[in-house]
Structures are given as C-alpha cells and as structure tokens.
Amino acid sequence: MDLKFNKNEDANRLLVSELKRKHQKVSLGGGVSKIAKHHEKGKLTARERIEYLIDDQESFLEIGAFTADGMYEEWGGCPSAGVVTGIGKISGRQCVIVANDATVKAGAWFPMTAKKNLRAQEVALENKLPIIYLVDSAGVFLPMQDEIFPDKEHFGRQFRNNARMTSEGIIQIAAIMGSCVAGGAYLPIMSDEALIVEGTGSVFLAGSYLVKSAIGEDVDNETLGGASTHCEISGVTDNKYPDDKSCLDAVKKLLDKVGDYDPAGFNRIKPKEPKKDPKEVYGLFPTDRNVPYDMVEIIERIVDDSVFEQYKADYGKSLLCGYARIDGWSVGIVANQRKIVKAKKGSGAASEMQLGGVIYSDSADKAARFIMNCNQRKIPLVFLHDVNGFMVGSRSEHGGIIKDGAKMVNAVANSVVPKFSFVLGASYGAGNYAMCGKAYDPRLIYAWPTAQIAVMSGKSAANTLLQIKVSAEKAKGKEVTEEAKQQMLDEIKASYDAKLSPYYAASQLWVDGVIDPLETRKVISTGIEAANHARIERPMNVGVIQT
C-alpha cells in the first residue's frame, strides 16, 4: 500500500483506539467504588443486568453510550446520562432495553436522561419492538427539576408514551430492581407487567422521609412500598423474586411465550461478507476533510460481496445512489462523493474537478428520484454523509439549486421506508438535512470517529465569526491589530472545533453513538431487522413540489 494509505490507516486506528478507551470509561458508570457498593447490596449493575438478560452480548446494539458526555460537571458528571439503552435479543425476540444505572447519582434523572429515555421509547414505537425497563432510579435530580419536569420533551412524555405503546400493542415489561420513586413510579405500573425484587425493589409516590414530613406518619420504605406490600396487599406489582437474576429469568420466560409478529417484508437473502477487506476502510478514508477519495471504494467494503449497483452513474456525480445488500438485506444507498472527476465544459473539453462533497442540482434531482424508487419497491435507505452542503454562487442560484434541493429534502422527509444515517466525515448545513440528519427521523443514526457535524466547517465559521467580532469592535471605535485578530481567530476556532466532534454530537443525542467503521454493517442489519417488525401502513406521498 502507498504512503497515503498507511497514514490514513494509522490515524483512523488511533481514533478507533480512543473510541474504545472512551467507551470503557463510560461503561464503568459511577466508578469502581460505586460498583462495589452496588454488589454489596446483592445487586447487579445496569450493564450486568443487560448482559445476563440478552441472548448474545456481541449482537447488542447500544444507543446513546456517550449521552451527556462532558455535561453536568458541577454535579460530578453523569456518564451515559445514568441509563443504559439499546437493542438486544431476549429469548430470540428483538427488544429495546432501558436499564437505570444506580451507580450514577442513584440512577437519578438528569435532563439528558429524559431525552435518552424518550429516544429509546421512540425506537420501540417506530419499530413496534417490545421494551423492557430495568428500573433502579431515585427519580428526578431535584437541583435541575425545572429542566426535567414540565415541558413536552421532559419526563412526563415518557408516561404518555407508556400509554400510547400499550394502546398500539407494543409489549412493555418492567423489572423493579431498586428504587422507583414519585412520578417515576408510574413507568413500571403503566407497563403491561411489573416484576419486583425482594429487599431491593420499592415503589412509592413518596418515600418515608417525605411521608413523615407531609402527614406525620412513621413508616419504613419496605412497609411503605416494598415487594411484599405491592404483591400481597396493593396488587400494584405482579410477582416478586428473591434476586436480580431470578427476576431477569422471569422476563426471559415471559418473552419466550409471546406470539410472532407480522413482518413488514423487507427483502433478505443469505448474507455474504464483503469481497474486499473491510479493514482497508481505515487506509482508504482520510481524516483530513479536504483530501479527495472515492466513496465507491468505501461502500464496496461495507456491502455484501462488494457489489454496488449504481443508479444513474454518469449523472449527478456528486451523489452516489445505488442498490446493494448488507448482511443479506436489500438496501438503497445515498452517499456523498468526494473524488476528482473529469468534467465537461460547454465546448465539450474535459477538465478535472474535485466534487468535494457538495450537492449540485443534478445530484439532488437524481437522489430525489432514487429515494422515490426505493419507497415504491419497499427498500430501506442508507445515507452515508460526507457533505459540505449545497452548491452556492450565482450560477447555482440561477439554475434553481434551492428548488432542486427542496425536492431532495421533500423526498427524504416523506419517505416511508426505514432510513439509516451514518456520518462518516462532514455533515454541514442543509447537506445534513438532505442526507437524512437527526431532524428527518432516521431509525438509527451513528457517527464514525472522523465525523464533524455543524452548520459549516470550523475554518469557515471561525472566519465568519471573526468578521462579526471585528466589526463589533470597530463599531465601538476600537481598532483591532492583526495580532489581536489572530488571537481571536484561534479562540473562536478552538471553541467551534470542540463542538464539531462526534462525541459532542453524541453527548447531545444528535447521533445515537460513535462506532468503529467496521460496526457499520452490524448497525444496519440490526436496524432493518428491527424495522421489519413494523408494517408500512401508507404509500409515499411527496405533496406539492416546485418543478
């Protein structure tokens, strides 16, 4: 391999190594000492509970591992937002799992905990998957109650979703394995089945201290809302179990008896591994966003047998569209192209141009048609982002770039087949929207360690912000030296670049996680298998489109 390949490979492997290190750190939750105290109480941790519950640890797809990364530092941080969520198989049935991590602030709910729980419920709702709650939470983190309690996307929405899911026949099972307090008590009791662990599980609207304060009654928590109380007196919970494992075994047995689902019918044949070595992606994909590369080479290391059948290969070349299979599933792929191509001028003479991840009018038109084709044929869509945005300038504006871009955005927004997005490199501005960013309801959206998500690149944004800042200083009658300008530019760029990071995007849940590029096939296959649980109820209708 050439020097460029080796440099790319070294850089990407370092990024993957950093990813694994960061994941190991958040996997410890509240830390080794908190885990030890948890074990002393005879309890498993959230991750240990999931590991015991699911059939196969390797196939578990975690959602939101880096949620709240770097946030709430004044309170000691909140790794993974204090809750572990993902998709795994239990007794052969794919389920969404939500497990409170009581090693992190006793499982208290921070604002990002609410957002993450709602995301897990969204995955269950969209895909009609059973959802299992492993409850162990002290309830709302009171110092931040105003950011958690009253709004539409706050914790009350979770209980509304409980009611909606039950009405739609989506199975909800709650295993109460620790505290379940105040409004949080509604979550397991609004589930279809509520199991509880003796000695550690408890459910009450107000704990013993609050009861004493409110009505003067002296009562201990076990008598107030323990397993015996709720299984023998109130009937709030259905069955009690002596420890975590026996309770989790009961969950497995419940799911073992559930009837089969009515599949959506996405096409799948026997899977084939890519013919081209997937690990070569490390050497082929540049970490520098200004370096050209051929996205086809990347796709061929993701898809089955390395076969990618392009749609309109010679038209709208800044976007690749085509059909392939991933782990046997039929997919339609829309991907940004960044290689150097031969372009014809008006005279017919050919010259070289770098596509640079920019969407042109012809590319947008091609993609819109392709997306509609996939909807007509019931083929799930996969978007691979490395996009700087739509082409600007007088020539593009006169050619109707806004109109053609709107066609593509319309097609993405109204698509009824499941969509899966991966941010490989840049995902800037309206390009993020057109390529099915978070706002356009991808069933799953993940980033590679090389990803950057923002309105524009760090360099462009820094220069723009610098101009604004310098103009503001001049308006005050102050002159800005070149040295001061450079210092301002460096400060602005450092701040902006930090927010370009895929981990920043993951902390905000703009993406469901950051993955090793080699995990891309697993995410897509898991996602389509989940989507296959939910029949498509209506045809695609794009409404009014300017022509």
Side-chain angles (χ1 to χ4, degrees):
M1 293 292 178
D2 60 19
L3 181 61
K4 184 171 74 172
F5 183 99
N6 291 335
K7 286 179 70 175
N8 288 341
E9 184 175 40
D10 288 345
N12 278 303
R13 286 189 182 278
L14 278 172
L15 289 173
V16 170
S17 178
E18 181 192 9
L19 165 63
K20 290 176 180 177
R21 180 186 57 77
K22 288 176 75 73
H23 193 271
Q24 285 172 352
K25 184 179 178 181
V26 299
S27 295
L28 290 173
V32 174
S33 62
K34 292 285 180 69
I35 291 172
K37 289 179 181 177
H38 208 66
H39 288 161
E40 286 170 11
K41 297 175 185 176
K43 298 166 69 173
L44 300 174
T45 66
R47 291 183 183 276
E48 288 168 344
R49 286 167 179 165
I50 291 173
E51 186 174 353
Y52 184 81
L53 183 61
I54 60 178
D55 301 342
D56 176 15
Q57 182 67 23
E58 288 301 312
S59 63
F60 178 68
L61 178 61
E62 186 166 356
I63 295 171
F66 297 111
T67 307
D69 183 49
M71 299 171 70
Y72 314 124
E73 294 298 329
E74 67 272 35
W75 305 108
C78 188
S80 291
V83 61
V84 183
T85 62
I87 301 172
K89 284 190 176 177
I90 306 170
S91 298
R93 177 172 288 272
Q94 212 173 28
C95 300
V96 173
I97 302 167
V98 178
N100 299 118
D101 186 350
T103 70
V104 179
K105 298 291 185 291
W109 298 337
F110 284 72
M112 287 306 298
T113 317
K115 188 172 183 178
K116 185 170 174 178
N117 278 28
L118 291 173
R119 174 60 179 145
Q121 288 186 321
E122 181 182 44
V123 172
L125 273 162
E126 286 182 327
N127 298 295
K128 309 297 184 197
L129 290 179
I131 184 166
I132 314 302
Y133 305 103
L134 307 182
V135 186
D136 194 347
S137 172
V140 166
F141 185 65
L142 288 176
M144 304 188 78
Q145 63 84 24
D146 61 314
E147 298 179 51
I148 304 167
F149 170 66
D151 210 345
K152 181 178 178 180
E153 300 304 325
H154 287 174
F155 250 97
R157 189 75 170 183
Q158 181 174 260
F159 313 132
R160 173 262 192 194
N161 289 348
N162 285 143
R164 285 286 303 275
M165 283 192 277
T166 289
S167 74
E168 293 183 23
I170 296 170
I171 298 164
Q172 299 177 87
I173 299 172
I176 302 162
M177 315 182 86
S179 298
C180 191
V181 185
Y186 287 106
L187 184 146
I189 311 312
M190 292 186 75
S191 298
D192 308 318
E193 197 128 5
L195 318 178
I196 189 167
V197 178
E198 293 179 283
T200 56
S202 59
V203 186
F204 34 66
L205 292 180
S208 57
Y209 293 130
L210 185 53
V211 168
K212 174 69 174 176
S213 173
I215 64 174
E217 180 185 1
D218 281 308
V219 60
D220 63 86
N221 283 339
E222 188 63 27
T223 304
L224 186 65
S228 295
T229 295
H230 286 311
C231 285
E232 299 171 22
I233 300 172
S234 71
V236 165
T237 53
D238 301 316
N239 287 297
K240 59 183 178 179
Y241 301 89
D243 53 39
D244 282 7
K245 287 187 176 181
S246 57
C247 186
L248 295 170
D249 285 334
V251 174
K252 295 180 188 182
K253 289 173 184 175
L254 287 171
L255 288 164
D256 185 45
K257 295 169 180 65
V258 173
D260 208 354
Y261 62 91
D262 189 8
F266 302 121
N267 185 280
R268 191 183 197 187
I269 62 172
K270 185 178 179 181
K272 292 182 180 179
E273 291 296 316
K275 191 173 286 183
K276 296 184 178 180
D277 186 358
K279 291 179 182 177
E280 290 177 355
V281 165
Y282 295 142
L284 292 167
F285 193 79
T287 55
D288 183 342
R289 299 276 47 84
N290 296 311
V291 173
Y293 66 94
D294 188 354
M295 180 65 88
V296 173
E297 293 288 343
I298 306 300
I299 293 171
E300 288 176 345
R301 285 156 178 83
I302 295 173
V303 301
D304 288 15
D305 210 29
S306 298
V307 174
F308 177 53
E309 301 164 12
Q310 284 202 55
Y311 169 79
K312 290 182 176 286
D314 297 322
Y315 177 73
K317 292 183 179 181
S318 71
L319 275 176
L320 296 169
C321 299
Y323 305 101
R325 289 190 181 273
I326 294 177
D327 200 31
W329 295 104
S330 170
V331 297
I333 296 174
V334 180
N336 303 112
Q337 178 62 289
R338 281 183 170 265
K339 76 172 185 177
I340 295 172
V341 298
K342 294 285 186 181
K344 286 188 177 181
K345 295 181 179 178
S347 62
S351 63
E352 285 191 343
M353 66 175 288
Q354 183 180 337
L355 295 174
V358 175
I359 301 174
Y360 294 84
S361 285
D362 54 357
S363 304
D365 175 66
K366 176 173 83 169
R369 294 189 193 194
F370 178 73
I371 290 164
M372 287 188 279
N373 282 352
C374 287
N375 274 267
Q376 182 192 56
R377 299 165 195 179
K378 205 156 73 172
I379 299 173
L381 286 159
V382 174
F383 293 83
L384 304 178
H385 299 223
D386 195 355
V387 58
N388 283 356
F390 287 92
M391 190 59 191
V392 296
S394 60
R395 184 175 176 182
S396 293
E397 298 293 358
H398 296 170
I401 184 67
I402 296 174
K403 180 176 64 179
D404 290 319
K407 289 180 188 176
M408 182 177 174
V409 169
N410 190 308
V412 172
N414 286 298
S415 178
V416 295
V417 295
K419 300 168 294 199
F420 303 91
S421 273
F422 296 85
V423 185
L424 279 57
S427 189
Y428 299 151
N432 173 274
Y433 302 157
M435 291 297 291
C436 195
K438 186 65 180 288
Y440 288 78
D441 298 321
R443 295 291 176 96
L444 295 169
I445 176 169
Y446 282 82
W448 285 10
T450 42
Q452 296 179 348
I453 302 173
V455 170
M456 61 183 75
S457 72
K459 182 180 179 181
S460 298
N463 286 323
T464 303
L465 292 168
L466 177 65
Q467 290 175 39
I468 294 169
K469 201 166 183 178
V470 168
S471 296
E473 291 297 306
K474 286 183 177 178
K476 296 175 186 175
K478 297 178 182 178
E479 283 299 318
V480 183
T481 66
E482 288 303 314
E483 185 179 332
K485 282 184 186 179
Q486 187 60 50
Q487 186 177 344
M488 283 183 193
L489 183 64
D490 291 342
E491 289 172 358
I492 293 168
K493 192 170 185 306
S495 173
Y496 197 90
D497 283 349
K499 294 179 181 179
L500 283 174
S501 162
Y503 298 104
Y504 184 82
S507 75
Q508 307 294 320
L509 261 183
W510 300 342
V511 295
D512 292 318
V514 183
I515 58 168
D516 182 336
L518 301 184
E519 293 180 284
T520 307
R521 280 172 59 85
K522 170 189 168 180
V523 174
I524 295 168
S525 182
T526 302
I528 299 176
E529 184 178 356
N532 204 36
H533 288 72
R535 291 174 63 86
I536 296 173
E537 301 296 340
R538 64 177 180 86
M540 181 183 185
N541 184 347
V542 295
V544 177
I545 297 181
Q546 295 275 354
T547 57

